[in-house]
Amino acid sequence: MVESQTFEHPQLHDFSALCRGFLFTSPWQSLTTQGCFTTLNAPVIEGDRLTGDFQQQLRHHFACARKQGIAKPLLVGAIPFDVTQPAALFIPESCQTFNRSDLNRRAFRDEAALPRIRRRAAIPDHAIFTAMVSQAVAATRRGELDKVVLSRLLDIVAEEPVDTVALMARVVAQNPDSYHFHLPLPDGGVLVGASPELMIRKQGTHFCSCPLAGSAPRQRDAQRDQDAGRSLMDSAKDRHEHKLVTDAMRTRLQPRSRLLAVPEVPSLLTTATLWHLATEIRGEVADAHENALSLACLLHPTPALSGFPHHAAWPLIQQLEPFERQLFGGIVGWCDDQGNGEWVVTIRCGTVHGTRVRLFAGAGIVAGSQPEPEWRETGVKLDTMLRAFGLQ
């Protein structure tokens, strides 16, 4: 077995090699894995409890991996939106880390062309989704909840099987500052994405998070684009939506933190297609046994992906959305046996199964939301993946 090592620059010239296992890129630490020592596909229920069943299983599997010669084992993969559903986690046989800046310099724009699209369909369609938003707005105005996140899918059928390596190369080149992931799934498919949202990063006893809530489309004209960012910052509706998220995260993190800093005023974060309201949360854990996955499970799902309060938002999501989210709206990342790791929210993403591709996007609905803008917002979010297919 091979313990983690940092890539030499020449090894980054074969992008397909990076995608043979789990590929995850971040400005902090990027990695690619080889092989599978063992899987952990059971639901991650109460994964935040350090003495709970899942954390005990994780420690046991890490111990077994070390006995088999894996000096620095880590757990990688994805956890679904609904934590009662099976996860897609595994401990690889080996892992290599590399600098993302080296990968971005390569860009890999010369990868093979993607197949033509035979058909695509919105699930639900425009009429049903806008009706869903209207029902959610009515529920918030009745005081049943403060916020609910509603999502929609785009199903695509290609003429030939999709080359996920070529797709991933385009996603990386077009979204160089996002968190990228390419994860082979237990059912034979692949999860591909470029998330802008950090759920948790932990190094030693320190952690940080950067939730996003509240967004606005980017504009081609530079002045109009800056105006769009300022309008988002000044939007009472979006600031309210964002505060629901940061207040809930503060409430969850405070009892587990020795130090915790949550700025009162958000900042602006940009992607290729959207402005976002963002808040960088930093802290230090109270218990040295805390790990990146226990903190991720403590926060997941945040009001940015579910709503507030979750116990009211979740039944409404089940009632209104005509599909199961599965890994969409979940978390994807890694955690090593020392407790370090990084998990991001599974958005701006899709799954690929041969010729079939399913893309996902969601929007936070509050009392001030309007159906048509929410339809357009989810469409802009889908653009991240559509651009990779040349279908913007």
Side-chain angles (χ1 to χ4, degrees), residues 58 61 84 90 109 152 201 212 269 276 291 363 365:
L58 180 58
H61 285 301
T84 67
F90 68 98
R109 297 180 186 274
R152 64 183 179 101
R201 175 187 299 142
L212 309 181
L269 180 147
H276 291 283
N291 58 64
I365 311 302

Side-chain angles (χ1 to χ4, degrees), residues 16-240:
S16 62
L18 299 180
C19 296
R20 286 173 190 155
F22 173 57
L23 171 67
F24 182 86
T25 87
S26 158
W28 178 48
Q29 181 165 289
S30 301
L31 58 86
T32 182
T33 71
Q34 295 78 40
C36 175
F37 173 73
T38 190
T39 60
L40 285 81
N41 292 330
V44 183
I45 300 173
E46 296 187 329
D48 63 302
R49 292 182 57 236
L50 298 178
T51 58
D53 289 343
F54 179 80
Q55 288 290 335
Q56 290 186 50
Q57 289 182 44
L58 180 58
R59 288 192 290 271
H60 170 73
H61 285 301
F62 277 156
C64 290
R66 286 191 293 269
K67 286 182 180 179
Q68 293 299 313
I70 303 178
K72 297 179 180 179
L74 73 164
L75 183 75
V76 304
I79 291 171
F81 173 77
D82 179 0
V83 295
T84 67
Q85 298 300 310
L89 300 168
F90 68 98
I91 295 176
E93 293 179 338
S94 63
C95 168
Q96 289 80 37
T97 61
F98 59 91
N99 294 323
R100 192 173 71 172
S101 58
D102 296 334
L103 181 67
N104 287 341
R105 277 196 289 271
R106 279 283 294 131
F108 296 101
R109 297 180 186 274
D110 57 348
E111 293 291 334
L114 293 165
R116 293 189 178 188
I117 303 305
R118 180 179 300 169
R119 62 179 181 271
R120 55 180 177 172
I123 304 175
D125 63 19
H126 174 269
I128 294 176
F129 183 81
T130 52
M132 287 164 49
V133 174
S134 295
Q135 293 178 66
V137 169
T140 63
R141 291 177 178 174
R142 288 192 300 267
E144 296 174 11
L145 73 173
D146 294 300
K147 172 186 175 180
V148 62
V149 176
L150 295 181
S151 60
R152 64 183 179 101
L153 307 176
L154 188 62
D155 273 355
I156 294 174
V157 179
E159 292 183 350
E160 299 173 2
V162 175
D163 181 345
T164 61
V165 174
L167 176 60
M168 188 68 200
R170 292 175 182 230
V171 169
V172 171
Q174 294 172 5
N175 305 275
D177 297 324
S178 295
Y179 299 89
H180 311 109
F181 46 90
H182 180 283
L183 172 67
L185 300 175
D187 63 5
V190 177
L191 176 69
V192 178
S195 176
E197 185 168 0
L198 174 67
M199 170 71 81
I200 201 78
R201 175 187 299 142
K202 181 178 177 292
Q203 184 175 27
T205 60
H206 296 273
F207 66 84
C208 64
S209 177
C210 191
L212 309 181
S215 59
R218 300 290 303 275
Q219 303 296 320
R220 291 178 181 270
D221 177 77
Q223 185 57 54
R224 291 181 62 194
D225 190 44
Q226 291 300 313
D227 291 343
R230 282 192 292 269
S231 294
L232 177 62
M233 182 65 81
D234 294 338
S235 166
K237 174 253 184 189
D238 290 290
R239 291 285 290 268
H240 169 65

